[in-house]
Amino acid sequence: MTMNKHEYYMRQALTESRKAAVHSSPNPPVGAVLVKNNRIIGQGHTQVPGQAHAEVMAIQQAGPAAKGASLYVTLEPCCHFGRTSPCTDLIIRKGIKEVFIGMDDPNPLVCGNGCRLLKKKGLCVVRGVLKEKIGEELEWYIKWIKKGLPYVTLKAGLSLDGKLTDYRGDSRWITSKKARLYGQRLREVHDAILTGINTVVKDDPLLSYRGRNRKKAFFYRVILDTSLRISIRAKVLRPLPSHHTLIAIGSGVKDRKKLEHIRGLKDVTILECPVREKKVDLGFVLKALAERDVTRLLVEGGSEVFYSFLSRGLADKLVLFMAPLLLGGAVSAKGFIGGRGFLLDHAVRIRKGRFFNFLPDNSVYEGYLNVYRDH
């Protein structure tokens, strides 16, 4: 086979992996295809945690024909016992002759060990097919494994002059209905959404995950509320299937009666945090979320929350929906980033970014602040 064919089949595996993007967390979404006589005989993707991995699904679909076939898999096959048995054992047992791997697994329990085991058993192993592309799609997983923190995406809807609201503070609706629907799709691939108490007090959002894919095991709604200002009747406290609400408060909140009432609500957690500059410590919050298997966090402002993440270097990606309208308002209309702002010499640098025009009425900008692909 030529390398072009290898890349072709790996792209098929990558397409398969995207089918698992919603439901695989905290496991990475992996895709696999089995090829024999230049024909795909089996394909599969990661199932919900505790169920079959991509390689297992592809091998099961191929049946006895898997013997002597070539396996293309986007991430190095696991070689340890976790919620499931090692995929390497099945690959060897079914007589697969060669394995093409997109990217080594950064998980130290695997990280090269899967490849070494397959080679030791006489299989031909080729690594790094479409590594850059696969690494780009799995940056969040690399960060979660290597740093023990969720991958943080800041998402906002803005006017063309960078305003979150008009001069009366109204933000509904700057962006179009199609942009908002795409925003819901973003929630589908994240494990949690975070906002500040000012947004909750002003808009009383439900912050629900309303995706079409109902396989999602859990979804966290996170509120930064240093002084516990939230109303006990706030929509975000209402129980919803698969939803959990986490309220991050500062240590030493005085209203103990309100605190105990909220603690008693179904699927609501109070997280008492250290306070930095009169606000809950975001680093503490992120570590607590990672410990709860939150791998990807979507932050939906407001402007002070965005500033807090950017000023501490805790944001990894921007997704900005830009509407073709101008709002103005030098002081009264809120811009994307609040706080003191940044001096030119200390501006937040975007390492890689691009505009998309797949929406007919709004533009979308994606920018990367941190890159974790080279692990």
Side-chain angles (χ1 to χ4, degrees):
M1 280 189 178
T2 66
M3 183 53 69
N4 284 338
K5 281 192 175 182
H6 293 327
E7 290 182 356
Y8 169 80
Y9 288 126
M10 189 61 76
R11 288 186 187 279
Q12 304 312 301
L14 184 57
T15 298
E16 190 70 22
S17 75
R18 292 169 184 149
K19 298 176 183 178
V22 172
H23 63 254
S24 69
S25 185
N27 296 330
V30 178
V33 299
L34 268 174
V35 178
K36 197 171 187 179
N37 299 324
N38 293 328
R39 184 173 65 88
I40 293 176
I41 60 171
Q43 53 193 2
H45 56 270
T46 312
Q47 302 301 295
V48 297
Q51 295 185 17
H53 288 188
E55 301 94 319
V56 175
M57 299 296 291
I59 290 169
Q60 286 177 348
Q61 188 179 102
K67 185 175 182 179
S70 301
L71 174 66
Y72 292 79
V73 60
T74 55
L75 190 68
E76 180 182 8
C78 66
C79 54
H80 67 289
F81 283 91
R83 291 187 177 100
T84 61
S85 57
C87 291
T88 49
D89 289 358
L90 182 66
I91 292 168
I92 294 164
R93 192 165 68 248
K94 292 298 181 179
I96 291 167
K97 67 174 183 179
E98 55 186 0
V99 181
F100 297 87
I101 295 167
M103 187 182 88
D104 289 359
D105 192 334
N107 187 336
L109 294 173
V110 184
C111 202
N113 293 324
C115 293
R116 283 188 286 272
L117 178 60
L118 293 173
K119 286 182 178 180
K120 184 177 180 181
K121 295 297 181 177
L123 281 75
C124 174
V125 177
V126 178
R127 299 152 82 172
V129 183
L130 293 184
K131 176 184 174 181
E132 182 66 22
K133 178 62 178 173
I134 293 167
E136 181 179 336
E137 297 201 11
L138 289 180
E139 278 195 301
W140 60 269
Y141 174 66
I142 297 170
K143 181 189 178 184
W144 186 65
I145 288 292
K146 302 291 281 187
K147 296 187 175 294
L149 294 171
Y151 189 86
V152 177
T153 297
L154 308 187
K155 175 251 178 181
L158 308 173
S159 65
L160 202 57
D161 55 339
K163 297 296 184 178
L164 285 173
T165 71
D166 63 17
Y167 68 84
R168 291 180 177 176
D170 190 8
S171 61
R172 294 187 177 183
W173 296 101
I174 289 177
T175 54
S176 68
K177 183 178 180 180
K178 289 183 178 179
R180 297 193 297 275
L181 287 173
Y182 185 76
Q184 278 295 322
R185 290 175 59 191
L186 275 181
R187 292 188 188 185
E188 278 193 296
V189 296
H190 286 78
D191 300 321
I193 182 172
L194 180 148
T195 195
I197 186 59
N198 289 336
T199 297
V200 174
V201 170
K202 179 178 177 294
D203 298 334
D204 194 21
L206 189 59
L207 294 181
S208 63
Y209 151 67
R210 299 189 290 274
R212 292 168 294 176
N213 191 320
R214 296 302 176 186
K215 289 184 180 180
K216 203 169 184 69
F218 67 92
F219 186 75
Y220 273 94
R221 303 179 286 185
V222 185
I223 311 301
L224 303 179
D225 187 6
T226 307
S227 303
L228 196 60
R229 292 168 49 206
I230 193 168
S231 166
I232 60 173
R233 291 178 291 276
K235 290 179 182 177
V236 76
L237 299 180
R238 296 177 185 174
L240 288 173
S242 302
H243 285 62
H244 303 270
T245 299
L246 185 146
I247 305 173
I249 68 170
S251 55
V253 166
K254 296 179 180 179
D255 193 341
R256 307 310 292 183
K257 184 177 179 180
K258 184 178 183 181
L259 184 58
E260 292 309 313
H261 173 83
I262 293 175
R263 274 202 173 115
L265 297 176
K266 182 182 178 183
D267 295 328
V268 176
T269 299
I270 293 286
L271 179 68
E272 293 198 44
C273 309
V275 175
R276 290 181 49 156
E277 298 177 356
K278 299 182 180 180
K279 297 177 181 178
V280 295
D281 186 337
L282 288 180
F284 185 90
V285 174
L286 293 181
K287 287 179 182 177
L289 290 174
E291 289 168 359
R292 289 165 169 80
D293 284 344
V294 171
T295 61
R296 285 169 286 186
L297 174 66
L298 186 65
V299 178
E300 295 193 4
S303 61
E304 295 301 320
V305 172
F306 290 142
Y307 175 74
S308 294
F309 274 92
L310 290 168
S311 63
R312 291 199 56 194
L314 296 175
D316 299 301
K317 184 178 179 181
L318 305 175
V319 178
L320 306 179
F321 294 86
M322 311 289 289
L325 51 86
L326 303 172
L327 290 174
V331 178
S332 52
K334 286 193 175 181
F336 168 44
I337 303 170
R340 291 183 60 188
F342 304 99
L343 295 172
L344 187 59
D345 289 345
H346 297 90
V348 177
R349 300 291 177 179
I350 296 171
R351 299 183 62 173
K352 180 180 179 181
R354 53 187 173 178
F355 281 95
F356 297 93
N357 293 306
F358 56 84
L359 297 172
D361 42 12
N362 286 182
S363 296
V364 181
Y365 178 78
E366 284 190 359
Y368 292 88
L369 307 175
N370 295 304
V371 176
Y372 302 98
R373 293 165 209 170
D374 296 325
H375 68 280

